[in-house]
Amino acid sequence: MTIRVVHHIAELRAALAAQPAVGFVPTMGNLHQGHLDLVKIARPRSSVVVSSIFVNRLQFGPNEDFDRYPRTMEADVRALESAGCDLVFAPDERELYPVPQGYKVHPPIELADILEGHFRPGFFVGVATVVHKLFNIVQPQLAVFGQKDYQQLMIIRNMVAQMALPIEIIAGPTTRAGDGLALSSRNGYLSAQERAEAPQLFALLEHMAARVKAEGIAAVPAIEADALLAIAARGWKPDYLTIRRRADLQPPSATDEPLVALAAAKLGSTRLIDNLEI
Ligand code: AMP
């Protein structure tokens, strides 16, 4: 089946009407292997795999990179086709937001205003709103999200559970370059020198995880402080490097809790995020 690109909601609904198992991979385009790996997870579980490409203005802050976010539609469609995607939904802003989006999904602040949400106010309202809207448009049986965006995945899982949306959410593991750097559309902003430095973010998460295992959770404040100093000394501007409970992304309180190390830091003008389950 050759891939089909549709731009309108009505056209998409007509194309999906008879499909028993719609698998969905939402993206903002400028696709890399990480996105394609999510499509490959959806493929065997779906009668049709839909991927959306939409750079969602709602989730960008006023000083963020909405205008310069890379838009590479033709290459994206070819890549999606080779990964086994059947249908690309690529609405323009007038199609998705014909009037200003006054109705929004507000995830609970204890999850949405920490970590990414603290440094990017309104980000998760924008994400939850567009994902909820895309779910209503595509009406998938399953949707695949990357673990690379750990907090986003948790917020979407919780939204689906609390809103009783009949959608199975599947997590795709983070796809990395050979040197450990998590693939990201924003990696394209890095200079050659910054690209050589960028894997240090994941290396530091690995170091933090090893220290937590060796020293226990009492050492977490020291591990976090050391990591912030270490990355700043390399010229990064860190937002956070932290150890949290997987369950709710709050600081750990007991020794037997499953944990995750999460990081966000700016290298030059490029903000990178990553995480590692411990
Ligand atoms: P984006 O286009 O950045 O909004 O990402 C679309 C989807 O791809 C989200 O579910 C991301 O978590 C996922 N994603 C981004 N980078 C990676 C990666 N390196 N590995 C796996 N999934 C990813």
Side-chain angles (χ1 to χ4, degrees), residues 26-29 32 34-35 38 69 145-146 148-149 152 173-175 183:
T27 83
M28 298 205 300
H32 50 66
H35 297 109
L38 303 185
Y69 198 86
F145 289 84
K148 152 111 189 326
D149 298 283
Q152 169 175 287
T174 301
T175 304
L183 298 189

Side-chain angles (χ1 to χ4, degrees), residues 28 54-60 66 71 93 96-97 123 125-131:
M28 298 205 300
F54 181 69
V55 185
N56 176 37
R57 190 189 291 274
L58 267 191
Q59 72 191 64
F60 285 77
F66 176 79
R71 286 146 171 101
E93 283 197 286
L96 216 59
Y97 300 131
F123 173 66
V125 173
V127 168
T129 301
V130 79
V131 170

Side-chain angles (χ1 to χ4, degrees), residues 87 154 191 251:
L87 204 65
M154 182 175 287
S191 69

Side-chain angles (χ1 to χ4, degrees), residues 39 44 109 114-115 118 126 165 183 188 199 248 266:
V39 170
I109 55 172
I114 62 170
L115 303 170
H118 177 76
L165 303 181
L183 298 189
D248 57 6
K266 263 187 158 181

